[in-house]
Amino acid sequence: MEPKASDKFLANGSTASAENEPSTTRDVTDIIGEYGPWQRLIFILTCLRGTPTAFYNLSTPFFAPKQDVWCTQPPFSNFSVAEWRNSAIPLEYHEGELVPSRCNMYEVLLVNDEPVINRNKTVPCSAWEYDNSFYTNTLTREYDLVCGRDWLISYTQSNYMAGMMCGVFIFGHLADRFGRRIILNISVTLMLIASVIAAFSPTFTFFSVARFFLALGVGGTQNTSFCLLMEVLGPIYRTRPTFAFSFGWAFGLLLLPGMTYLIRDWVYQQLASAAVSSILLSYWIFMPESPRWLMTQGKYEKAEKIMLKAAKRNNLEINNMPLMMKQLKERIERDERKKNPSVIDLFKTANLRKNTIFVYISYFSVAFVFYGLSLGQTNLGGNPFLNFFIGSAVELPAYVLCIIFIRYLPRKPSFLIFDMIGGIACFFMIPSEYPWVRITAAMLGKLCISGAFIILAIHASEIFPTVVRTVGSGTSLMMGRIGAMVAPFIKELGNATHPAVPAIVYGSLSFVAALLIALLPETYNQVLPDTICEAEELGCGLEEIQRIRSISDLHKEKGEVKMRMLQNGKEIKDPEV
């Protein structure tokens, strides 16, 4: 079999001639090459989005950090801060320790023009003062997110994740209709504008709306850039974007604690994130349209122009472009006549339905634990910036281990190793008199859950058949977003019940995911299913596969008997025939 021109280019970087081009053009990459300098530019541009995405996704712990707060003095009193806190603020139990109250104070009376503190009666705060010795301005202080309003901090993160989920759906649909490039550019611009507006929000409601639109842009940018990159890469390179995006994300997480340590005002932190995301405006200049999308829309001239430019950039000579375009057009038109997949197709058959439900629950569980650990890194005790940095740094070895595991180990053991160790580590995060045990367990848990997340994404994509793989993977990610939306409120649950509850929930959900993944079929070194029928047989034992096929053969045989009887003019009396 004659090798493709793109293969020769990848092998030695030499210029390929038209004589070595495939006789039948089946894919865009048969013309532009599977990977070369043209794709590398797109690869770099899409990886850039990882840093601002990390800033925006996990900035809440630094916008609203742990900060001392107490009731403000009445206007007629003139105590020093130390005197006021020592004499007018009662002590309350919080996580097993006596600490100054954040929400109550002793009643202060005016007697003979002198303030008198009545220690026999406490009253709720009407206003608050904040410790600004380290943080100059926080989201908590800006909108008084304390006491009965402290749950709004968790809502901020949940609202953001909801915006990301909506952005994936809205801009995903728009990108399919209007093109990858224009929607990607609009998403990037929306992200930048909303980020700046959020920094100058006059009210918390205004801030929440701005953050939601910011998340819409982030979701649209992430989803559309990923699709565009996948559509210009050859098949053997399409697993790499997952790792590339992960490394870009991890790089942003490593920068975030340093940036917030140097910039201790949440407004300037938000503006700094906007400045970083402004780099993505380069998409307007350098990001091309997907030639694959142009072909599916019948815009053949534009697609041909882009593909010729890409082939030239990749040192590929194309001398029979009209024939190759004709073959590609015929293949695309033939595929367009096929039935569009639907999420309902995932639930029509028993085995695929079971696998889909297990994947959905696992995605929810792993995303819940991942974001719960990520958002809680600054509340473990010790230096919050160092904790966050280490918690982010451990993701890098997780990605390296994933590359090794995916290549040499089956999917299920790979996931179980990461997930079970991570789940056990989460149980050791229960508050104790040894803070270092809790911090170490949290770091180990973050490393393992990060690896489990990547293994799960690859395993899930291999379980779904080709005809509904995009739908299956997309809806699985949606379940993960729902988990990320719920995760911020685990802190509120711990405050309302017991400090050990979040750790127990993290460990329990990890074990649930491990159990469900253990029940899924193994896909390592297996031929991926293309049809619903093949997906139904995936993971079945030999006897079950034979039963399925025998039933299928029996129905086929009965149909043939029916046809012969009808052709011979005989009456069919047996209802089973």
Side-chain angles (χ1 to χ4, degrees):
M1 181 177 177
E2 193 70 12
K4 293 189 297 184
S6 57
D7 294 335
K8 289 196 170 185
F9 166 71
L10 291 168
N12 52 32
S14 61
T15 302
S17 65
E19 298 173 353
N20 291 323
E21 289 167 357
S23 58
T24 302
T25 305
R26 299 179 180 274
D27 192 78
V28 168
T29 55
D30 290 335
I31 299 175
I32 66 175
E34 296 193 349
Y35 187 80
W38 187 77
Q39 286 96 335
R40 190 178 299 119
L41 175 61
I42 300 175
F43 183 84
I44 294 171
L45 290 173
T46 52
C47 287
L48 289 176
R49 50 143 289 281
T51 299
T53 298
F55 284 3
Y56 291 133
N57 282 23
L58 292 175
S59 58
T60 303
F62 298 103
F63 283 178
K66 271 186 140 183
Q67 187 178 19
D68 283 342
V69 56
W70 55 90
C71 299
T72 191
Q73 301 183 41
F76 54 80
S77 64
N78 57 355
F79 296 102
S80 67
V81 173
E83 291 174 339
W84 173 254
R85 295 189 66 183
N86 291 331
S87 58
I89 306 299
L91 298 178
E92 296 178 349
Y93 277 100
H94 179 70
E95 296 184 358
E97 296 182 2
L98 270 176
V99 295
S101 175
R102 296 164 60 92
C103 305
N104 297 296
M105 69 179 194
Y106 291 121
E107 182 183 34
V108 181
L109 304 174
L110 188 61
V111 179
N112 297 325
D113 294 331
E114 292 292 334
V116 176
I117 298 174
N118 178 18
R119 290 179 172 269
N120 296 320
K121 182 180 180 181
T122 59
V123 295
C125 302
S126 59
W128 290 266
E129 293 182 39
Y130 297 85
D131 180 8
N132 299 321
S133 59
F134 186 82
Y135 299 101
T136 58
N137 188 27
T138 63
L139 197 69
T140 308
R141 177 189 176 189
E142 186 84 22
Y143 304 115
D144 281 335
L145 304 182
V146 293
C147 300
R149 288 168 55 86
D150 57 354
W151 66 274
L152 291 174
I153 297 174
S154 298
Y155 166 78
T156 296
Q157 186 68 25
S158 182
N159 171 68
Y160 178 86
M161 289 299 174
M164 280 197 69
M165 187 172 67
C166 293
V168 169
F169 279 99
I170 294 172
F171 286 108
H173 175 74
L174 293 175
D176 286 340
R177 182 169 183 180
F178 298 106
R180 314 300 192 215
R181 183 177 185 272
I182 183 62
I183 297 304
L184 179 57
N185 290 335
I186 290 175
S187 299
V188 167
T189 305
L190 174 63
M191 177 171 63
L192 179 59
I193 293 174
S195 179
V196 174
I197 292 175
F200 299 103
S201 301
T203 65
F204 180 77
T205 300
F206 196 97
F207 171 80
S208 298
V209 172
R211 281 275 291 181
F212 184 86
F213 278 96
L214 164 61
L216 279 178
V218 173
T221 300
Q222 181 173 343
N223 186 59
T224 309
S225 61
F226 187 84
C227 290
L228 174 56
L229 180 59
M230 292 289 283
E231 289 174 350
V232 299
L233 292 176
I236 63 174
Y237 292 94
R238 289 174 187 165
T239 58
R240 298 188 181 185
T242 301
F243 294 103
F245 276 40
S246 298
F247 278 109
W249 159 273
F251 180 72
L253 292 183
L254 291 174
L255 292 180
L256 180 58
M259 181 195 76
T260 53
Y261 180 82
L262 296 174
I263 306 174
R264 301 175 187 180
D265 186 320
W266 80 269
V267 174
Y268 293 109
Q269 290 174 6
Q270 181 72 22
L271 293 175
S273 299
V276 173
S277 65
S278 66
I279 299 173
L280 303 184
L281 292 177
S282 60
Y283 286 5
W284 284 94
I285 301 173
F286 299 109
M287 187 69 78
E289 181 57 271
S290 166
R292 189 185 302 271
W293 179 84
L294 290 171
M295 292 292 293
T296 61
Q297 300 300 308
K299 301 179 180 181
Y300 302 115
E301 292 184 3
K302 291 183 178 179
E304 181 178 352
K305 183 178 179 181
I306 292 176
M307 285 190 284
L308 285 173
K309 182 178 180 181
K312 181 179 179 181
R313 183 75 178 87
N314 289 342
N315 291 330
L316 296 173
E317 293 182 2
I318 307 297
N319 297 324
N320 56 352
M321 191 65 174
L323 175 61
M324 300 178 79
M325 286 293 294
K326 179 183 177 182
Q327 293 173 344
L328 190 57
K329 176 182 176 182
E330 291 173 351
R331 199 271 301 167
I332 289 176
E333 290 177 347
R334 184 170 60 251
D335 290 347
E336 285 296 306
R337 289 193 293 268
K338 296 179 181 179
K339 180 182 177 181
N340 291 326
S342 167
V343 67
I344 299 175
D345 295 326
L346 298 171
F347 297 92
K348 287 183 177 179
T349 55
N351 196 39
L352 181 57
R353 178 169 58 247
K354 178 203 71 174
N355 293 341
T356 300
I357 293 173
F358 286 1
V359 168
Y360 282 0
I361 298 175
S362 299
Y363 251 99
F364 174 90
S365 302
V366 174
F368 183 99
V369 177
F370 176 83
Y371 275 97
L373 292 175
S374 298
L375 294 170
Q377 290 173 147
T378 57
N379 298 321
L380 294 172
N383 189 316
F385 300 95
L386 182 61
N387 289 345
F388 195 95
F389 179 85
I390 296 174
S392 303
V394 297
E395 292 192 25
L396 295 175
Y399 302 151
V400 175
L401 288 173
C402 280
I403 295 174
I404 298 172
F405 280 22
I406 288 170
R407 184 169 183 178
Y408 297 107
L409 292 179
R411 304 293 184 246
K412 289 165 63 173
S414 299
F415 179 86
L416 293 176
I417 290 172
F418 278 119
D419 190 68
M420 293 294 288
I421 296 176
I424 293 172
C426 287
F427 284 115
F428 283 92
M429 290 175 56
I430 295 175
S432 67
E433 58 183 10
Y434 302 105
W436 65 269
V437 174
R438 187 184 185 193
I439 295 174
T440 303
M443 299 302 114
L444 178 60
K446 179 72 181 301
L447 184 153
C448 293
I449 295 302
S450 299
F453 216 151
I454 292 179
I455 301 292
L456 175 61
I458 295 174
H459 191 189
S461 67
E462 294 173 340
I463 285 175
F464 296 119
T466 301
V467 292
V468 288
R469 184 165 292 131
T470 302
V471 173
S473 298
T475 51
S476 298
L477 287 172
M478 182 191 71
M479 295 303 297
R481 293 296 179 202
I482 294 175
M485 287 170 55
V486 179
F489 289 100
I490 191 67
K491 182 181 74 172
E492 315 304 326
L493 180 61
N495 293 337
T497 55
H498 191 278
V501 168
I504 295 173
V505 172
Y506 296 151
S508 300
L509 284 178
S510 298
F511 276 47
V512 168
L515 174 62
L516 296 179
I517 293 301
L519 297 175
L520 288 176
E522 182 56 69
T523 58
Y524 178 68
N525 281 345
Q526 300 292 320
V527 176
L528 298 185
D530 288 323
T531 65
I532 299 292
C533 184
E534 291 176 359
E536 190 65 11
E537 295 178 357
L538 189 65
C540 293
L542 179 60
E543 294 180 359
E544 181 66 12
I545 291 175
Q546 290 175 343
R547 186 185 70 81
I548 293 172
R549 290 179 176 172
S550 64
I551 293 174
S552 178
D553 293 340
L554 179 60
H555 285 304
K556 183 178 180 181
E557 182 179 345
K558 287 180 178 180
E560 293 174 352
V561 172
K562 268 186 175 183
M563 184 61 67
R564 287 197 300 269
M565 293 177 70
L566 290 172
Q567 289 175 347
N568 296 330
K570 295 181 180 180
E571 183 181 357
I572 302 175
K573 296 181 179 180
D574 185 358
E576 291 298 321
V577 176

